[in-house]
């Protein structure tokens, strides 16, 4: 039987036939008198703007400061300075992650969940907003700096995305507050590893390996997106 | 509430009756499911009211079944409920009788109540493909039983 025929369907319906319901008409009549207060439709743009306004201004100030420093150093100061600043990128990730977890750290998750959107959606949205703005700032800085700066951006994105991926995994595995502390430590480790590689393994920044860096970014971007989603999902169901 | 409430009431009631074999309890749960849909629609957007109704009804039937399990015998047992029906295709009935409760439930949802596959997936928390596979498996089983008879 690939699909039941008309006759089979009739027989199936007959098999599952139930006695006539007694209170149907009365119930439907009563229900039709209940006023319906359906919530209005909310656009994604509006929700994003609302979440945007809740994100601490200090996060944007700090991010902007680091990117401006990267721009100035790459343009007017010695290039060595640039690596110190790129080492600061994982810290932006750390601040961003702690910002995303703010509602849980301060016990506000129940309040968030009582709203129309789940905690998972709220956290996802914040991660996307913060990550998106940081990426945008990075691209703008690269665009303004021009020349070799675009390649330098590749080198900067790797520690940034590594910190984000690691941070997401840590936040998924550990309770909120401890998770933020541990992801800060992880961010610091990535930052130090970045500095160490600049001075001890400078050959990895050779133009021959640009393709490998690009591939690493693609892999890390996919991993960060996947882990970000899993983190929001786990936190949403944990709350 | 939502389009086709009248028809859905009958289908949901049929579903509850299939689960409980008790007219009063089935109707109470049907109405409770509709009331919860109205209540929830007031403060959040319910994207799939049909899946919501069946999920609530399914959970309430499970609660009712657990509550009554050790206390009383259902007022009409499945075998009796079908006795006085005129069933033209006895072999199909027998084949359906031989299915498990869950398999019969899926057949009821898909073919008697015409619930879309996507909604069935939402009710059971499985993918559309898993529902397709399950329905296909049950139909094959039915076919096997019918050809055996």
């Amino acid at each position: 039987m690939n699909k039941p025929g008309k006759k089979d369907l009739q027989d199936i319906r007959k098999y599952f036939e139930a006695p006539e319901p007694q209170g149907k008409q009365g119930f439907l009549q009563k229900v039709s008198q209940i006023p319906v207060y359906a919530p209005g439709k909310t656009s994604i743009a509006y929700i994003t703007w609302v979440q945007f306004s809740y994100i601490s201004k200090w996060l944007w100030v700090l991010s902007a400061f680091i990117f401006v420093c990267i721009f100035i150093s790459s343009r007017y100061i010695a290039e060595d300075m640039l690596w110190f600043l790129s080492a600061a990128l994982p810290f932006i990730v750390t601040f961003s992650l702690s910002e995303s977890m703010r509602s849980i750290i301060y016990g506000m998750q129940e309040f968030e969940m009582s709203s129309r959107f789940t905690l998972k959606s709220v956290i996802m949205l914040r991660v996307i907003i913060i990550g998106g703005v940081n990426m945008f700032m990075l691209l703008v800085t690269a665009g303004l700096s021009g020349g070799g700066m675009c390649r330098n951006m590749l080198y900067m994105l790797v520690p940034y995305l590594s910190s984000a991926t690691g941070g997401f995994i840590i936040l998924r595995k550990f309770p909120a507050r401890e998770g933020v502390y541990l992801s800060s430590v992880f961010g610091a480790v990535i930052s130090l590893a970045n500095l160490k590689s600049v001075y001890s393994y400078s050959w990895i920044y050779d133009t021959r390996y640009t393709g490998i860096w690009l591939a690493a970014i693609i892999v890390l971007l996919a991993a960060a997106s996947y882990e970000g989603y899993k983190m929001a999902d786990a936190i949403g169901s944990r709350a | 509430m939502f389009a086709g409430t009248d028809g859905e009431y009958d289908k949901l009631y049929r579903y509850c009756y299939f689960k409980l074999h008790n007219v009063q309890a089935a109707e109470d749960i049907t109405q409770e499911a509709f009331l919860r849909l109205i209540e929830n629609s007031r403060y959040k957007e319910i994207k799939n009211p049909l899946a919501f109704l069946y999920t609530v009804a399914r959970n309430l039937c499970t609660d009712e079944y657990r509550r009554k399990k050790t206390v009383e015998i259902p007022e009409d047992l499945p075998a009796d409920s079908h006795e006085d029906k005129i069933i033209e295709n006895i072999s199909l009935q027998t084949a359906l009788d031989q299915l498990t409760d869950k398999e019969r439930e899926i057949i009821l949802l898909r073919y008697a109540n015409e619930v879309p596959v996507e909604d069935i997936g939402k009710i059971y928390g499985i993918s559309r493909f898993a529902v397709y596979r399950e329905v296909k498996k049950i139909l094959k089983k039915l076919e096997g039983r019918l050809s055996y008879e």
Side-chain angles (χ1 to χ4, degrees):
Chain A
M1 199 189 283
N2 282 329
K3 208 177 165 190
K6 222 173 183 179
K7 173 84 174 59
D8 292 328
L9 282 176
Q10 275 177 358
D11 289 334
I12 287 172
R13 278 183 204 127
K14 205 164 261 180
Y15 178 86
F16 290 110
E17 221 166 60
E20 278 294 306
Q22 305 299 310
K24 180 186 160 188
Q25 287 313 324
F27 174 74
L28 291 178
Q29 209 167 11
K30 268 185 198 163
V31 157
S32 65
Q33 288 162 5
I34 300 174
V36 179
Y37 304 106
K41 297 257 179 203
T42 313
S43 70
I44 290 287
Y46 177 72
I47 308 158
T48 309
W49 175 246
V50 169
Q51 278 306 319
F52 197 90
S53 64
Y54 278 115
I55 295 168
S56 170
K57 305 294 170 289
W58 284 108
L59 178 74
W60 305 127
V61 171
L62 184 85
S63 306
F65 176 73
I66 290 178
F67 286 118
V68 167
C69 288
I70 290 173
F71 171 68
I72 294 170
S73 67
S74 67
R75 208 68 192 267
Y76 309 106
I77 313 173
E79 199 158 282
D80 264 12
M81 182 69 183
L82 183 69
W83 297 112
F84 280 109
L85 290 166
S86 80
L89 284 178
F91 291 105
I92 296 185
V93 176
T94 303
F95 288 129
S96 307
L97 290 176
S98 61
E99 183 58 39
S100 305
M101 297 297 286
R102 202 155 55 126
S103 67
I104 297 179
I105 290 171
Y106 295 108
M108 294 288 280
Q109 68 267 43
E110 283 180 1
F111 182 66
E112 301 253 37
M113 285 179 82
S114 69
S115 67
R116 283 175 61 189
F117 300 95
T118 58
L119 185 64
K120 176 184 160 183
S121 325
V122 172
I123 290 174
M124 271 308 288
L125 201 60
R126 268 185 216 167
V127 167
I128 291 168
I129 293 170
I130 298 171
V133 171
N134 283 345
M135 288 284 175
F136 176 74
M137 283 179 173
L138 207 60
L139 283 173
V140 169
T141 315
L144 289 173
S145 306
M149 189 60 195
C150 285
R151 199 156 46 85
N152 289 344
M153 283 299 155
L154 291 182
Y155 306 142
M156 286 183 191
L157 269 174
V158 170
Y160 180 88
L161 291 171
S162 308
S163 319
T165 310
F168 289 147
I169 296 172
I170 290 167
L171 289 177
R172 178 160 58 87
K173 302 267 182 197
F174 294 91
R177 205 176 282 269
E178 288 79 356
V180 170
Y181 294 149
L182 285 171
S183 65
S184 310
V185 173
F186 183 75
V189 169
I190 293 282
S191 175
L192 288 172
N194 192 40
L195 279 178
K196 172 81 180 158
S197 67
V198 170
Y199 292 107
S200 306
Y201 310 102
S202 53
W203 53 269
I204 60 170
Y205 300 102
D206 198 281
T207 44
R208 280 179 299 168
Y209 302 115
T210 306
I212 296 174
W213 282 93
L214 201 62
I217 285 167
I218 293 166
V219 170
L220 283 168
L221 195 64
S225 310
Y226 176 69
E227 286 302 334
Y229 174 78
K230 274 179 81 175
M231 185 267 295
D233 193 31
I235 289 166
S237 52
R238 196 198 293 164
Chain B
M1 213 179 315
F2 71 96
T5 301
D6 200 339
E8 289 311 328
Y9 184 99
D10 290 338
K11 287 177 181 176
L12 195 67
Y13 162 74
R14 177 164 35 186
Y15 174 74
C16 296
Y17 181 78
F18 161 77
K19 300 276 283 178
L20 298 168
H21 308 292
N22 183 309
V23 175
Q24 195 52 52
E27 194 149 20
D28 286 348
I29 288 173
T30 305
Q31 295 184 359
E32 180 64 25
F34 273 99
L35 288 173
R36 287 194 190 185
L37 174 67
I38 297 168
E39 185 65 31
N40 278 272
S41 306
R42 286 182 178 188
Y43 55 86
K44 62 181 177 189
E45 202 177 317
I46 294 173
K47 284 185 182 158
N48 198 326
L50 199 61
F52 179 91
L53 279 174
Y54 277 100
T55 307
V56 170
R58 189 165 179 249
N59 292 339
L60 288 174
C61 284
T62 307
D63 291 347
E64 179 72 11
Y65 182 75
R66 280 189 192 136
R67 201 167 59 83
K68 294 234 170 161
K69 201 176 172 182
T70 51
V71 184
E72 58 185 64
I73 299 161
E75 77 182 36
D76 31 14
L77 287 164
D80 297 338
S81 66
H82 299 302
E83 260 179 17
D84 30 282
K85 285 178 194 166
I86 307 154
I87 294 170
E88 291 163 344
N89 194 340
I90 299 293
S91 56
L92 181 62
Q93 189 213 8
T94 318
L96 283 165
D97 275 339
Q98 285 170 353
L99 295 177
T100 64
D101 280 347
K102 195 188 171 189
E103 288 169 339
R104 266 199 300 272
E105 191 176 320
I106 290 172
I107 292 291
L108 160 72
L109 289 171
R110 185 73 194 102
Y111 296 112
N113 281 7
E114 294 165 327
V115 177
V117 171
E118 201 181 334
D119 292 345
I120 298 178
K122 285 204 173 97
I123 296 164
Y124 290 106
I126 54 175
S127 71
R128 277 189 304 137
F129 298 104
V131 177
Y132 275 123
R133 273 200 303 275
E134 192 66 26
V135 170
K136 211 171 169 185
K137 201 178 87 188
I138 301 167
L139 289 178
K140 211 167 181 181
K141 205 169 168 182
L142 274 176
E143 192 183 23
R145 296 267 152 83
L146 287 170
S147 59
Y148 180 74
E149 280 156 20

